Protein backbone atom coordinates (compact mmCIF):
# COMPACT_ATOMS: atom_id res chain seq x y z
CA UNK A 1 0.00 0.00 0.00
CA UNK A 2 1.08 3.57 -0.59
CA UNK A 3 3.17 5.53 1.86
CA UNK A 4 1.35 8.81 1.17
CA UNK A 5 -0.98 10.04 3.93
CA UNK A 6 -4.63 9.03 4.06
CA UNK A 7 -7.16 11.44 2.57
CA UNK A 8 -10.22 9.97 4.29
CA UNK A 9 -10.98 13.17 6.17
CA UNK A 10 -9.95 15.69 3.54
CA UNK A 11 -12.26 17.40 1.00
CA UNK A 12 -12.94 15.87 -2.40
CA UNK A 13 -14.52 17.50 -5.43
CA UNK A 14 -17.00 14.96 -6.76
CA UNK A 15 -17.49 15.97 -10.38
CA UNK A 16 -20.12 18.67 -10.40
CA UNK A 17 -22.19 16.90 -7.75
CA UNK A 18 -20.44 18.99 -5.13
CA UNK A 19 -17.55 19.29 -2.72
CA UNK A 20 -17.34 16.51 -0.17
CA UNK A 21 -15.96 17.43 3.23
CA UNK A 22 -14.96 13.83 3.95
CA UNK A 23 -14.74 10.59 1.99
CA UNK A 24 -16.84 8.19 4.07
CA UNK A 25 -19.72 7.38 1.71
CA UNK A 26 -23.00 5.55 2.43
CA UNK A 27 -22.99 2.58 0.03
CA UNK A 28 -26.27 1.74 -1.71
CA UNK A 29 -28.27 -0.58 0.57
CA UNK A 30 -31.55 -2.27 -0.26
CA UNK A 31 -33.70 -2.43 2.90
CA UNK A 32 -37.11 -3.66 1.62
CA UNK A 33 -39.08 -1.02 3.49
CA UNK A 34 -40.83 0.85 0.70
CA UNK A 35 -44.55 1.52 1.10
CA UNK A 36 -47.01 -0.88 -0.52
CA UNK A 37 -48.44 -0.83 -3.08
CA UNK A 38 -46.83 2.48 -4.20
CA UNK A 39 -43.25 1.25 -3.73
CA UNK A 40 -42.20 4.69 -2.52
CA UNK A 41 -39.85 5.57 0.35
CA UNK A 42 -41.77 5.83 3.64
CA UNK A 43 -41.59 8.29 6.54
CA UNK A 44 -39.09 5.98 8.23
CA UNK A 45 -36.95 6.05 5.08
CA UNK A 46 -36.83 9.84 5.36
CA UNK A 47 -35.60 9.44 8.93
CA UNK A 48 -33.14 6.68 7.94
CA UNK A 49 -31.44 8.86 5.33
CA UNK A 50 -31.57 11.96 7.53
CA UNK A 51 -29.78 10.04 10.31
CA UNK A 52 -26.96 9.11 7.94
CA UNK A 53 -26.52 12.57 6.39
CA UNK A 54 -23.56 14.72 7.43
CA UNK A 55 -22.24 18.05 6.18
CA UNK A 56 -20.45 17.46 2.88
CA UNK A 57 -21.04 13.70 3.12
CA UNK A 58 -22.25 11.61 0.16
CA UNK A 59 -25.17 9.19 0.49
CA UNK A 60 -26.04 6.78 -2.31
CA UNK A 61 -29.62 5.55 -2.11
CA UNK A 62 -30.64 1.95 -2.02
CA UNK A 63 -31.09 0.56 -5.53
CA UNK A 64 -34.20 2.15 -7.09
CA UNK A 65 -36.17 0.45 -9.89
CA UNK A 66 -36.39 2.45 -13.10
CA UNK A 67 -39.61 0.66 -14.13
CA UNK A 68 -42.03 -2.02 -12.87
CA UNK A 69 -40.28 -4.48 -15.19
CA UNK A 70 -37.36 -4.45 -12.75
CA UNK A 71 -39.30 -5.58 -9.61
CA UNK A 72 -37.41 -8.49 -8.10
CA UNK A 73 -37.82 -8.23 -4.34
CA UNK A 74 -40.80 -7.31 -2.16
CA UNK A 75 -41.14 -3.70 -0.98
CA UNK A 76 -38.23 -2.19 -2.88
CA UNK A 77 -38.76 1.36 -4.17
CA UNK A 78 -39.07 2.74 -7.67
CA UNK A 79 -38.85 6.12 -9.35
CA UNK A 80 -41.25 5.84 -12.28
CA UNK A 81 -44.40 7.37 -10.69
CA UNK A 82 -45.37 10.81 -9.40
CA UNK A 83 -46.04 9.37 -5.94
CA UNK A 84 -42.53 7.94 -5.81
CA UNK A 85 -40.97 11.20 -6.97
CA UNK A 86 -42.85 13.14 -4.27
CA UNK A 87 -41.71 10.69 -1.60
CA UNK A 88 -38.08 10.82 -2.75
CA UNK A 89 -38.27 14.62 -2.64
CA UNK A 90 -38.86 14.39 1.11
CA UNK A 91 -35.75 12.22 1.43
CA UNK A 92 -33.53 14.59 -0.55
CA UNK A 93 -34.83 17.59 1.40
CA UNK A 94 -34.04 15.90 4.71
CA UNK A 95 -30.49 15.11 3.57
CA UNK A 96 -29.93 18.63 2.22
CA UNK A 97 -31.19 20.16 5.48
CA UNK A 98 -28.27 18.42 7.20
CA UNK A 99 -25.80 19.64 4.58
CA UNK A 100 -25.43 16.26 2.90
CA UNK A 101 -25.46 15.20 -0.76
CA UNK A 102 -27.48 12.31 -2.15
CA UNK A 103 -27.48 10.45 -5.47
CA UNK A 104 -30.08 7.97 -6.66
CA UNK A 105 -28.92 4.50 -7.71
CA UNK A 106 -30.83 3.53 -10.88
CA UNK A 107 -31.57 -0.19 -11.07
CA UNK A 108 -32.84 -2.77 -13.50
CA UNK A 109 -32.61 -6.30 -12.16
CA UNK A 110 -33.09 -8.16 -15.47
CA UNK A 111 -33.31 -11.93 -14.99
CA UNK A 112 -33.16 -11.62 -11.19
CA UNK A 113 -36.83 -10.51 -11.38
CA UNK A 114 -39.20 -13.46 -11.17
CA UNK A 115 -42.18 -13.30 -13.58
CA UNK A 116 -44.51 -13.54 -10.54
CA UNK A 117 -43.76 -9.88 -9.85
CA UNK A 118 -46.06 -9.16 -12.78
CA UNK A 119 -48.85 -9.74 -10.23
CA UNK A 120 -47.81 -6.71 -8.20
CA UNK A 121 -50.39 -3.89 -8.51
CA UNK A 122 -47.79 -1.59 -10.03
CA UNK A 123 -47.19 -4.13 -12.79
CA UNK A 124 -50.72 -5.23 -13.59
CA UNK A 125 -51.62 -3.94 -17.04
CA UNK A 126 -47.98 -3.20 -17.88
CA UNK A 127 -46.90 -4.52 -21.24
CA UNK A 128 -43.37 -5.17 -20.11
CA UNK A 129 -43.30 -7.98 -17.58
CA UNK A 130 -40.40 -8.78 -15.22
CA UNK A 131 -37.91 -11.51 -16.08
CA UNK A 132 -35.79 -10.25 -19.01
CA UNK A 133 -32.11 -10.50 -19.85
CA UNK A 134 -29.46 -10.45 -22.56
CA UNK A 135 -30.23 -14.09 -23.42
CA UNK A 136 -32.49 -16.90 -22.26
CA UNK A 137 -30.11 -18.07 -19.56
CA UNK A 138 -31.56 -19.00 -16.18
CA UNK A 139 -29.80 -18.36 -12.86
CA UNK A 140 -28.53 -21.71 -11.61
CA UNK A 141 -26.76 -22.68 -8.43
CA UNK A 142 -23.35 -24.31 -8.41
CA UNK A 143 -24.98 -27.73 -8.46
CA UNK A 144 -26.58 -26.80 -11.79
CA UNK A 145 -30.11 -26.60 -10.35
CA UNK A 146 -32.20 -23.43 -10.74
CA UNK A 147 -31.34 -20.84 -8.08
CA UNK A 148 -34.01 -19.71 -5.60
CA UNK A 149 -35.57 -16.31 -5.08
CA UNK A 150 -38.11 -14.69 -2.78
CA UNK A 151 -41.38 -13.41 -4.23
CA UNK A 152 -44.50 -12.08 -2.53
CA UNK A 153 -45.80 -15.67 -2.71
CA UNK A 154 -42.74 -17.23 -1.12
CA UNK A 155 -39.61 -18.95 -2.41
CA UNK A 156 -39.54 -19.75 -6.14
CA UNK A 157 -37.02 -21.08 -8.66
CA UNK A 158 -35.54 -18.39 -10.87
CA UNK A 159 -37.24 -18.54 -14.27
CA UNK A 160 -35.77 -18.65 -17.77
CA UNK A 161 -35.77 -14.95 -18.79
CA UNK A 162 -37.04 -13.49 -22.03
CA UNK A 163 -34.34 -12.17 -24.34
CA UNK A 164 -34.63 -8.43 -24.87
CA UNK A 165 -34.94 -7.51 -28.55
CA UNK A 166 -33.13 -4.50 -30.02
CA UNK A 167 -36.51 -2.65 -29.97
CA UNK A 168 -36.96 -3.61 -26.29
CA UNK A 169 -33.53 -2.14 -25.57
CA UNK A 170 -34.51 1.18 -27.12
CA UNK A 171 -37.55 1.23 -24.85
CA UNK A 172 -35.31 0.30 -21.91
CA UNK A 173 -33.12 3.33 -22.62
CA UNK A 174 -36.27 5.45 -22.55
CA UNK A 175 -37.09 3.97 -19.13
CA UNK A 176 -33.64 4.97 -17.87
CA UNK A 177 -34.14 8.45 -19.30
CA UNK A 178 -37.48 8.85 -17.54
CA UNK A 179 -36.02 7.60 -14.24
CA UNK A 180 -33.13 10.06 -14.59
CA UNK A 181 -35.59 12.90 -15.22
CA UNK A 182 -37.64 11.83 -12.21
CA UNK A 183 -34.53 11.74 -10.03
CA UNK A 184 -33.87 15.31 -11.06
CA UNK A 185 -37.44 16.30 -10.24
CA UNK A 186 -37.05 14.63 -6.82
CA UNK A 187 -34.12 16.91 -5.96
CA UNK A 188 -31.23 14.44 -6.08
CA UNK A 189 -27.70 15.77 -6.58
CA UNK A 190 -26.91 13.16 -9.21
CA UNK A 191 -27.56 9.58 -10.25
CA UNK A 192 -25.60 6.35 -10.19
CA UNK A 193 -26.03 3.70 -12.88
CA UNK A 194 -26.12 0.30 -11.16
CA UNK A 195 -24.10 -1.86 -13.54
CA UNK A 196 -22.93 -4.29 -10.88
CA UNK A 197 -23.85 -7.38 -8.84
CA UNK A 198 -25.33 -9.56 -11.57
CA UNK A 199 -28.21 -7.24 -12.49
CA UNK A 200 -29.27 -6.36 -16.02
CA UNK A 201 -26.28 -4.34 -17.25
CA UNK A 202 -23.88 -6.85 -15.65
CA UNK A 203 -25.81 -9.64 -17.42
CA UNK A 204 -24.96 -7.97 -20.72
CA UNK A 205 -21.28 -7.64 -19.76
CA UNK A 206 -20.74 -11.30 -18.82
CA UNK A 207 -20.56 -13.87 -21.64
CA UNK A 208 -21.79 -16.65 -19.35
CA UNK A 209 -25.18 -14.91 -19.54
CA UNK A 210 -24.91 -12.89 -22.75
CA UNK A 211 -24.89 -15.34 -25.68
CA UNK A 212 -26.16 -12.85 -28.26
CA UNK A 213 -24.83 -12.69 -31.77
CA UNK A 214 -26.09 -9.16 -32.56
CA UNK A 215 -24.42 -5.82 -31.78
CA UNK A 216 -24.97 -6.41 -28.04
CA UNK A 217 -23.11 -9.74 -27.85
CA UNK A 218 -19.76 -11.29 -28.65
CA UNK A 219 -16.89 -8.82 -28.40
CA UNK A 220 -16.17 -6.80 -25.26
CA UNK A 221 -17.12 -3.71 -27.22
CA UNK A 222 -20.54 -5.16 -28.06
CA UNK A 223 -21.19 -6.38 -24.53
CA UNK A 224 -20.39 -2.89 -23.19
CA UNK A 225 -22.84 -1.28 -25.63
CA UNK A 226 -25.81 -1.27 -23.25
CA UNK A 227 -23.68 0.18 -20.43
CA UNK A 228 -22.54 2.97 -22.74
CA UNK A 229 -26.03 3.67 -24.04
CA UNK A 230 -27.44 3.90 -20.51
CA UNK A 231 -24.63 6.20 -19.37
CA UNK A 232 -25.18 8.39 -22.44
CA UNK A 233 -28.95 8.55 -21.93
CA UNK A 234 -28.66 9.40 -18.25
CA UNK A 235 -25.87 11.91 -18.90
CA UNK A 236 -28.14 13.59 -21.44
CA UNK A 237 -30.54 14.37 -18.60
CA UNK A 238 -27.98 15.33 -16.00
CA UNK A 239 -25.11 17.75 -16.52
CA UNK A 240 -21.54 16.58 -17.01
CA UNK A 241 -20.01 15.30 -13.81
CA UNK A 242 -23.28 14.38 -12.10
CA UNK A 243 -23.44 10.71 -13.09
CA UNK A 244 -21.67 7.87 -11.30
CA UNK A 245 -21.43 4.21 -12.29
CA UNK A 246 -21.09 1.08 -10.16
CA UNK A 247 -19.26 -2.00 -11.43
CA UNK A 248 -18.41 -5.23 -9.61
CA UNK A 249 -15.48 -6.81 -11.46
CA UNK A 250 -15.02 -10.40 -10.35
CA UNK A 251 -11.88 -12.38 -10.73
CA UNK A 252 -12.45 -16.04 -11.55
CA UNK A 253 -13.06 -17.19 -15.14
CA UNK A 254 -16.31 -19.20 -15.43
CA UNK A 255 -17.08 -19.22 -11.74
CA UNK A 256 -15.73 -18.11 -8.39
CA UNK A 257 -17.03 -15.04 -6.63
CA UNK A 258 -19.77 -13.90 -8.95
CA UNK A 259 -23.15 -12.34 -8.31
CA UNK A 260 -26.30 -14.27 -9.30
CA UNK A 261 -24.26 -16.69 -11.38
CA UNK A 262 -23.01 -13.96 -13.73
CA UNK A 263 -19.89 -15.65 -15.07
CA UNK A 264 -17.46 -14.76 -17.80
CA UNK A 265 -14.72 -16.70 -19.59
CA UNK A 266 -12.33 -13.76 -19.19
CA UNK A 267 -13.54 -11.33 -16.51
CA UNK A 268 -10.33 -9.27 -16.57
CA UNK A 269 -10.85 -8.52 -20.28
CA UNK A 270 -14.47 -7.43 -20.07
CA UNK A 271 -14.08 -5.33 -16.92
CA UNK A 272 -10.86 -3.69 -18.13
CA UNK A 273 -12.70 -2.80 -21.31
CA UNK A 274 -15.68 -1.42 -19.35
CA UNK A 275 -13.51 0.65 -17.00
CA UNK A 276 -11.57 2.14 -19.90
CA UNK A 277 -14.75 2.82 -21.87
CA UNK A 278 -16.08 4.81 -18.92
CA UNK A 279 -13.07 7.13 -19.17
CA UNK A 280 -14.75 8.58 -22.25
CA UNK A 281 -17.54 10.12 -20.15
CA UNK A 282 -17.20 12.99 -17.68
CA UNK A 283 -18.39 10.85 -14.77
CA UNK A 284 -18.60 12.09 -11.20
CA UNK A 285 -17.13 8.79 -10.03
CA UNK A 286 -16.76 5.06 -10.57
CA UNK A 287 -17.74 2.91 -7.58
CA UNK A 288 -16.25 -0.59 -7.63
CA UNK A 289 -17.12 -3.52 -5.42
CA UNK A 290 -14.17 -5.58 -4.26
CA UNK A 291 -14.70 -9.26 -5.16
CA UNK A 292 -14.10 -10.21 -1.53
CA UNK A 293 -17.69 -9.11 -0.88
CA UNK A 294 -20.32 -11.21 -2.61
CA UNK A 295 -23.10 -10.74 -0.09
CA UNK A 296 -23.15 -14.33 1.03
CA UNK A 297 -21.09 -14.36 4.15
CA UNK A 298 -21.89 -11.41 6.32
CA UNK A 299 -23.76 -13.19 9.07
CA UNK A 300 -20.96 -12.84 11.59
CA UNK A 301 -18.67 -9.83 11.51
CA UNK A 302 -16.11 -11.53 13.69
CA UNK A 303 -15.92 -14.53 11.34
CA UNK A 304 -16.25 -12.70 8.05
CA UNK A 305 -13.09 -13.37 6.04
CA UNK A 306 -14.00 -10.60 3.60
CA UNK A 307 -12.73 -7.94 5.94
CA UNK A 308 -9.19 -9.31 5.69
CA UNK A 309 -8.93 -10.24 2.00
CA UNK A 310 -6.71 -8.18 -0.32
CA UNK A 311 -8.05 -5.34 -2.49
CA UNK A 312 -7.97 -6.97 -5.91
CA UNK A 313 -9.95 -4.43 -7.92
CA UNK A 314 -7.89 -1.56 -6.54
CA UNK A 315 -4.76 -3.23 -7.84
CA UNK A 316 -6.29 -4.04 -11.23
CA UNK A 317 -8.40 -1.03 -12.13
CA UNK A 318 -7.13 2.07 -10.28
CA UNK A 319 -4.49 2.76 -12.89
CA UNK A 320 -6.99 2.23 -15.75
CA UNK A 321 -9.57 4.75 -14.57
CA UNK A 322 -8.77 8.44 -14.81
CA UNK A 323 -11.47 9.90 -12.57
CA UNK A 324 -12.62 9.65 -8.96
CA UNK A 325 -12.77 6.02 -7.86
CA UNK A 326 -14.69 4.88 -4.81
CA UNK A 327 -14.06 1.45 -3.29
CA UNK A 328 -16.55 -0.73 -1.40
CA UNK A 329 -16.60 -4.14 0.15
CA UNK A 330 -15.25 -5.34 3.47
CA UNK A 331 -13.66 -2.15 4.75
CA UNK A 332 -13.00 -1.66 8.45
CA UNK A 333 -12.12 1.70 10.01
CA UNK A 334 -8.41 0.91 9.86
CA UNK A 335 -8.38 -0.51 6.34
CA UNK A 336 -10.49 2.34 4.97
CA UNK A 337 -7.96 4.81 6.32
CA UNK A 338 -5.17 2.90 4.62
CA UNK A 339 -6.94 2.41 1.28
CA UNK A 340 -8.03 6.02 0.80
CA UNK A 341 -5.10 7.63 -1.01
CA UNK A 342 -5.08 10.32 -3.64
CA UNK A 343 -1.89 9.24 -5.31
CA UNK A 344 -3.46 6.78 -7.79
CA UNK A 345 -2.47 3.84 -5.65
CA UNK A 346 -5.53 4.14 -3.48
CA UNK A 347 -9.25 4.80 -3.64
CA UNK A 348 -10.42 8.42 -3.54
CA UNK A 349 -13.25 7.57 -1.14
CA UNK A 350 -14.64 4.52 0.65
CA UNK A 351 -18.29 3.42 0.63
CA UNK A 352 -19.44 1.54 3.72
CA UNK A 353 -22.44 -0.75 3.75
CA UNK A 354 -22.92 -2.90 6.82
CA UNK A 355 -21.17 -0.63 9.33
CA UNK A 356 -23.20 2.34 8.06
CA UNK A 357 -26.41 0.37 8.61
CA UNK A 358 -25.63 -0.02 12.31
CA UNK A 359 -23.79 3.29 12.83
CA UNK A 360 -25.86 6.18 11.47
CA UNK A 361 -23.11 8.64 12.39
CA UNK A 362 -20.29 6.50 10.98
CA UNK A 363 -18.24 9.43 9.52
CA UNK A 364 -18.16 11.18 12.90
CA UNK A 365 -17.23 7.96 14.72
CA UNK A 366 -14.42 7.20 12.27
CA UNK A 367 -13.10 10.74 12.45
CA UNK A 368 -13.10 10.76 16.22
CA UNK A 369 -11.29 7.43 16.31
CA UNK A 370 -8.67 8.43 13.78
CA UNK A 371 -8.03 11.70 15.60
CA UNK A 372 -7.61 9.82 18.84
CA UNK A 373 -4.97 7.39 17.55
CA UNK A 374 -1.28 7.81 17.13
CA UNK A 375 -0.08 7.39 13.55
CA UNK A 376 1.59 4.12 14.55
CA UNK A 377 -1.71 2.68 15.76
CA UNK A 378 -3.57 3.97 12.71
CA UNK A 379 -1.26 2.14 10.35
CA UNK A 380 -1.74 -1.10 12.22
CA UNK A 381 -4.33 -2.94 10.10
CA UNK A 382 -5.12 -5.45 12.82
CA UNK A 383 -6.40 -2.80 15.23
CA UNK A 384 -10.13 -2.20 14.90
CA UNK A 385 -12.12 -0.14 17.33
CA UNK A 386 -14.57 -1.54 19.85
CA UNK A 387 -16.88 1.43 19.53
CA UNK A 388 -19.02 0.48 16.55
CA UNK A 389 -22.57 -0.84 16.98
CA UNK A 390 -22.65 -4.35 15.61
CA UNK A 391 -25.10 -4.83 12.77
CA UNK A 392 -27.92 -7.34 12.99
CA UNK A 393 -28.22 -9.22 9.72
CA UNK A 394 -31.72 -10.46 10.63
CA UNK A 395 -33.09 -6.97 10.16
CA UNK A 396 -31.25 -6.04 6.94
CA UNK A 397 -34.27 -6.90 4.80
CA UNK A 398 -36.98 -6.92 7.45
CA UNK A 399 -39.91 -4.53 7.70
CA UNK A 400 -40.51 -1.70 10.13
CA UNK A 401 -38.25 0.47 12.22
CA UNK A 402 -36.25 -2.23 13.95
CA UNK A 403 -32.70 -2.45 12.66
CA UNK A 404 -33.49 0.49 10.39
CA UNK A 405 -33.79 3.72 12.33
CA UNK A 406 -33.17 2.54 15.91
CA UNK A 407 -29.38 2.15 15.90
CA UNK A 408 -27.92 4.67 18.36
CA UNK A 409 -25.81 7.65 17.35
CA UNK A 410 -23.20 9.36 19.46
CA UNK A 411 -24.93 12.67 19.07
CA UNK A 412 -28.27 11.27 20.24
CA UNK A 413 -26.53 10.59 23.52
CA UNK A 414 -25.33 14.16 23.70
CA UNK A 415 -21.67 13.26 23.18
CA UNK A 416 -19.34 15.86 21.73
CA UNK A 417 -17.82 14.76 18.46
CA UNK A 418 -14.88 17.11 18.44
CA UNK A 419 -12.30 17.80 21.13
CA UNK A 420 -13.41 15.35 23.82
CA UNK A 421 -14.57 12.69 21.38
CA UNK A 422 -11.85 10.27 22.43
CA UNK A 423 -13.11 9.90 25.95
CA UNK A 424 -16.71 9.99 24.80
CA UNK A 425 -16.47 7.18 22.30
CA UNK A 426 -14.66 4.97 24.76
CA UNK A 427 -17.49 5.31 27.23
CA UNK A 428 -19.34 2.09 26.55
CA UNK A 429 -22.62 3.07 28.14
CA UNK A 430 -23.04 5.72 25.49
CA UNK A 431 -23.31 3.39 22.55
CA UNK A 432 -24.04 0.07 24.21
CA UNK A 433 -27.69 -0.72 24.23
CA UNK A 434 -29.79 -3.13 22.41
CA UNK A 435 -27.07 -3.71 19.82
CA UNK A 436 -23.86 -5.38 20.86
CA UNK A 437 -20.50 -3.73 20.45
CA UNK A 438 -18.02 -5.17 18.02
CA UNK A 439 -15.44 -7.36 19.69
CA UNK A 440 -12.06 -5.95 18.62
CA UNK A 441 -10.10 -9.03 19.59
CA UNK A 442 -12.06 -11.03 17.02
CA UNK A 443 -12.78 -8.61 14.20
CA UNK A 444 -9.29 -7.18 14.16
CA UNK A 445 -7.38 -10.42 13.83
CA UNK A 446 -5.76 -11.06 10.47
CA UNK A 447 -6.19 -14.33 8.65
CA UNK A 448 -3.13 -16.13 7.41
CA UNK A 449 -2.65 -16.51 3.66
CA UNK A 450 -3.76 -20.16 3.90
CA UNK A 451 -6.90 -19.25 5.82
CA UNK A 452 -7.66 -16.59 3.22
CA UNK A 453 -7.42 -19.11 0.42
CA UNK A 454 -9.57 -21.63 2.27
CA UNK A 455 -12.20 -19.01 3.05
CA UNK A 456 -12.35 -17.85 -0.55
CA UNK A 457 -12.78 -21.37 -1.83
CA UNK A 458 -15.91 -21.76 0.29
CA UNK A 459 -17.67 -18.71 -1.14
C1 LIG B 1 -28.33 -5.23 3.24
C2 LIG B 1 -27.53 -4.91 2.00
C3 LIG B 1 -28.16 -4.35 0.91
C4 LIG B 1 -27.43 -4.00 -0.22
N1 LIG B 1 -28.07 -3.39 -1.26
C5 LIG B 1 -27.36 -2.91 -2.30
C6 LIG B 1 -27.97 -2.14 -3.31
O1 LIG B 1 -29.18 -1.84 -3.26
N2 LIG B 1 -27.21 -1.70 -4.34
C7 LIG B 1 -25.87 -1.98 -4.43
O2 LIG B 1 -25.21 -1.59 -5.38
N3 LIG B 1 -25.25 -2.70 -3.46
C8 LIG B 1 -25.95 -3.14 -2.39
N4 LIG B 1 -25.32 -3.79 -1.37
C9 LIG B 1 -23.85 -3.87 -1.38
C10 LIG B 1 -23.27 -2.69 -0.58
O3 LIG B 1 -23.43 -1.48 -1.30
C11 LIG B 1 -21.78 -2.87 -0.24
O4 LIG B 1 -21.03 -2.90 -1.41
C12 LIG B 1 -21.54 -4.15 0.55
O5 LIG B 1 -22.34 -4.18 1.70
C13 LIG B 1 -20.09 -4.30 0.95
O6 LIG B 1 -19.70 -3.24 1.78
P1 LIG B 1 -19.51 -3.46 3.37
O7 LIG B 1 -18.46 -4.52 3.55
O8 LIG B 1 -19.05 -2.11 3.87
O9 LIG B 1 -20.81 -3.88 3.93
C14 LIG B 1 -26.04 -4.22 -0.26
C15 LIG B 1 -25.41 -4.81 0.84
C16 LIG B 1 -26.13 -5.15 1.96
C17 LIG B 1 -25.42 -5.74 3.15
Amino acid sequence: MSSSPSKLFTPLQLGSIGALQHRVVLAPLTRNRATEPELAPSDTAVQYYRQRASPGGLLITEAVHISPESLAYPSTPGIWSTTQVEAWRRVTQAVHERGGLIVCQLWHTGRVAHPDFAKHPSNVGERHRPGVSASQVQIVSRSGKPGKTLTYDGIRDFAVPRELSVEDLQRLIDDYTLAAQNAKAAGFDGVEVHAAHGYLIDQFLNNGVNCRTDQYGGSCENRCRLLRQVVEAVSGVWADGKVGVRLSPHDAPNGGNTFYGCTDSNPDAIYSHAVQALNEYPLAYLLVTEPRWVGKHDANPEKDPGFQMPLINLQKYRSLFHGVMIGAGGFTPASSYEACMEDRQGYDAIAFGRWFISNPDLPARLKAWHQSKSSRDRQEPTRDPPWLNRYDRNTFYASGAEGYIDYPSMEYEGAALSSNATTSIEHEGMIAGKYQLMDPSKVGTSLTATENTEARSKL
Side-chain angles (χ1 to χ4, degrees):
M1 189 55 68
S2 164
S3 58
S4 75
S6 177
K7 303 285 180 184
L8 198 59
F9 295 105
T10 63
L12 173 67
Q13 186 61 40
L14 196 68
S16 53
I17 286 177
L20 303 188
Q21 288 180 35
H22 62 78
R23 299 159 185 238
V24 179
V25 174
L26 173 69
L29 292 161
T30 292
R31 305 303 308 277
N32 295 69
R33 282 154 168 100
T35 59
E36 291 285 2
E38 302 85 3
L39 301 181
S42 63
D43 290 348
T44 40
V46 176
Q47 205 176 335
Y48 167 82
Y49 284 106
R50 183 190 289 118
Q51 286 176 347
R52 283 154 185 80
S54 61
L58 177 68
L59 308 186
I60 307 172
T61 64
E62 62 209 274
V64 179
H65 301 292
I66 59 162
S67 69
E69 184 184 69
S70 167
L71 288 188
Y73 309 96
S75 308
T76 46
I79 192 152
W80 64 81
S81 75
T82 314
T83 309
Q84 291 163 345
V85 171
E86 292 304 320
W88 280 116
R89 190 175 292 127
R90 297 181 53 231
V91 170
T92 61
Q93 277 168 356
V95 171
H96 292 153
E97 276 162 21
R98 293 196 63 172
L101 296 160
I102 181 163
V103 302
C104 181
Q105 191 188 50
L106 300 180
W107 195 27
H108 195 303
T109 59
R111 67 176 186 162
V112 178
H114 191 277
D116 271 7
F117 281 92
K119 290 190 254 171
H120 189 275
S122 61
N123 246 322
V124 169
E126 284 281 325
R127 270 193 315 124
H128 310 295
R129 302 300 178 85
V132 296
S133 191
S135 305
Q136 295 183 19
V137 179
Q138 188 179 16
I139 301 176
V140 290
S141 65
R142 288 191 182 184
S143 62
K145 293 187 183 147
K148 303 277 182 196
T149 187
L150 178 68
T151 71
Y152 286 93
D153 296 329
I155 307 282
R156 294 279 180 276
D157 286 353
F158 279 113
V160 178
R162 299 192 315 279
E163 179 173 313
L164 286 162
S165 66
V166 173
E167 294 72 39
D168 286 331
L169 288 169
Q170 186 46 56
R171 188 260 310 158
L172 182 85
I173 301 296
D174 293 343
D175 290 344
Y176 270 102
T177 304
L178 178 65
Q181 287 164 343
N182 285 347
K184 210 168 197 182
F188 283 103
D189 299 292
V191 287
E192 178 181 295
V193 173
H194 193 348
H197 301 169
Y199 295 115
L200 184 64
I201 298 176
D202 211 16
Q203 291 160 28
F204 272 78
L205 294 180
N206 282 268
N207 63 13
V209 183
N210 182 347
C211 315
R212 300 173 76 104
T213 52
D214 63 4
Q215 68 267 40
Y216 290 92
S219 66
C220 289
E221 191 184 346
N222 282 355
R223 285 183 279 136
C224 281
R225 192 176 306 280
L226 181 63
L227 170 64
R228 280 177 177 275
Q229 288 180 332
V230 171
V231 169
E232 281 162 21
V234 165
S235 303
V237 175
W238 287 83
D240 283 357
K242 285 189 183 278
V243 175
V245 173
R246 183 168 208 181
L247 289 176
S248 54
H250 53 87
D251 57 352
N254 294 324
N257 292 348
T258 61
F259 296 86
Y260 289 115
C262 243
T263 59
D264 195 274
S265 57
N266 188 350
D268 286 358
I270 185 63
Y271 287 107
S272 298
H273 188 96
V275 168
Q276 285 172 303
L278 292 173
N279 279 326
E280 292 172 33
Y281 305 97
L283 295 182
Y285 64 86
L286 171 63
L287 167 59
V288 294
T289 312
E290 285 290 341
R292 67 189 182 182
W293 184 82
V294 288
K296 291 178 186 157
H297 57 101
D298 53 4
N300 255 319
E302 68 268 31
K303 289 184 186 154
D304 187 342
F307 286 107
Q308 281 89 30
M309 289 179 183
L311 299 177
I312 290 171
N313 285 342
L314 175 61
Q315 287 155 19
K316 282 188 188 167
Y317 301 111
R318 172 66 282 190
S319 59
L320 295 185
F321 188 65
H322 302 154
V324 168
M325 200 159 171
I326 306 177
F331 284 98
T332 62
S335 67
S336 66
Y337 200 79
E338 271 220 340
C340 188
M341 304 280 173
E342 230 177 15
D343 61 1
R344 300 219 149 264
Q345 291 186 54
Y347 285 121
D348 298 299
I350 304 295
F352 284 89
R354 292 164 285 176
W355 292 126
F356 224 141
I357 286 177
S358 54
N359 295 274
D361 53 352
L362 187 68
R365 288 184 192 227
L366 296 191
K367 186 169 187 187
W369 181 68
H370 287 299
Q371 284 177 341
S372 74
K373 292 283 165 188
S374 71
S375 58
R376 190 179 59 80
D377 286 342
R378 268 204 310 267
Q379 284 166 14
E380 171 57 73
T382 60
R383 293 283 295 273
D384 289 293
W387 39 264
L388 293 178
N389 305 318
R390 176 178 292 181
Y391 50 84
D392 174 8
R393 199 187 195 292
N394 295 325
T395 54
F396 277 1
Y397 306 109
S399 57
E402 190 181 358
Y404 192 46
I405 54 166
D406 61 348
Y407 285 106
S409 266
M410 291 194 294
E411 79 177 3
Y412 294 161
E413 307 291 335
L417 299 181
S418 53
S419 55
N420 59 348
T422 310
T423 48
S424 298
I425 60 174
E426 283 168 6
H427 172 48
E428 282 204 9
M430 185 187 70
I431 52 172
K434 176 174 170 190
Y435 296 98
Q436 288 178 305
L437 297 172
M438 181 168 144
D439 180 345
S441 66
K442 291 178 181 162
V443 177
T445 48
S446 285
L447 297 182
T448 63
T450 318
E451 285 169 327
N452 259 335
T453 312
E454 278 172 8
R456 287 177 74 85
S457 68
K458 288 184 194 139
L459 291 174

